[in-house]
Amino acid sequence: MSNRLNEQIDKAADSVIKFGNICALTGAGISVESGIPPFRGQGGIWDKFDPFEYAHIDSFMKNPAKVWDVLLKEMKQTLDKAKPSKAHMALVDLESLGLLKTVITQNIDGLHQASGSNDVIEFHGNFANLSCLSCDKAFKMSEIDIRSMPPKCSCGGYIRPNCVFFGENIPFEALQRSHEAAVSCKIMLVIGTSATVQPAASIPITAKKSGAIIIEINPEKTALSSGISDIFIQGRASIIMTDLLKAIKL
Ligand code: APR
């Protein structure tokens, strides 16, 4: 590992030890090493599917069968196989060390909860829970049989995943709790997000305005990297988070 990278990790570890009170903001990048492709960048899902044709609420309402058949079925199969990465586990370590309270995630894969994080705000909802568009009956993804698409409720209504489609609002409670976490943390650990989708991309700015130190982990630079992030650590989440925990525990 380069000296520069080690310096950045040591600087981040010093801040964590000194201030603690971390809030993490995660994006698809933290789950890449769990086998879930990102949306943008190398191997991005939106390179294969047009998000406005397959991930917008208007497209889903117009043709749920097409969205299920093309995007959601493949997503279910990918998520069913995914397991928490070392980066998810490192966040659980930080929580058990009393250094991290809340994880705000843009991901719908449930991997933070599966890894043992206790305070997870699902900013874009989740894929594990579903509901009937007609009668609002609740379903679990494990009840959905991908051989009969699109899934329908016994009332005849179509079933939708409880993730936030483009064109939908962020759940109010997630917005409120994320704002509270951002203004009260001393450090915001931003892991694996392209910081391109609002309003999630503004969360680190809110934290910075409230005096938090912004530590960003990503193999690529983002709009946050120069100007918002105080420490930018270039690399894959599992490797960097493992080394960060080692430096903290030294
Ligand atoms: N470790 C850390 N970061 C990684 C890794 C990795 N191994 N691999 C890729 N990345 C980074 C990429 O460089 C990129 O900056 O993760 C980021 C993934 O960006 P996106 O795919 O845009 O994911 P995200 O920022 O979470 O997207 C936000 O957009 O499409 C919507 O609702 C969807 O929640 C999603 C939102």
Side-chain angles (χ1 to χ4, degrees), residues 27-29 32-33 38-40 46 106 124 166 192-195 197 218-220 236-237:
V32 164
E33 288 152 284
F39 292 99
R40 299 168 187 84
W46 300 147
Q106 301 172 80
H124 292 154
F166 285 113
T193 181
S194 60
V197 173
N218 197 318
E220 312 286 335
R236 293 188 302 144

Side-chain angles (χ1 to χ4, degrees), residues 37-84:
F39 292 99
R40 299 168 187 84
Q42 197 182 348
I45 294 173
W46 300 147
D47 290 345
K48 275 170 68 181
F49 306 113
D50 174 355
F52 292 98
E53 192 180 343
Y54 294 103
H56 195 286
I57 188 61
D58 296 349
S59 322
F60 182 80
M61 298 305 276
K62 201 163 64 186
N63 191 341
K66 174 179 159 190
V67 174
W68 268 107
D69 231 12
V70 172
L71 178 68
L72 300 181
K73 189 162 73 171
E74 185 175 320
M75 208 174 248
K76 170 175 165 47
Q77 290 165 318
T78 305
L79 266 56
D80 282 352
K81 289 188 294 237
K83 296 277 178 278

Side-chain angles (χ1 to χ4, degrees), residues 148-209:
S148 58
M149 287 281 124
K152 280 193 166 184
C153 174
S154 52
C155 80
Y158 288 113
I159 298 172
R160 62 155 295 168
N162 292 352
C163 51
V164 179
F165 281 93
F166 285 113
E168 290 192 297
N169 291 327
I170 303 299
F172 178 72
E173 196 210 345
L175 266 181
Q176 191 173 37
R177 285 194 58 222
S178 300
H179 180 78
E180 285 159 9
V183 299
S184 54
C185 68
K186 285 276 181 265
I187 293 177
M188 179 156 279
L189 198 48
V190 182
I191 308 173
T193 181
S194 60
T196 47
V197 173
Q198 295 296 356
S202 299
I203 293 172
I205 298 165
T206 303
K208 186 161 183 91
K209 280 185 183 158

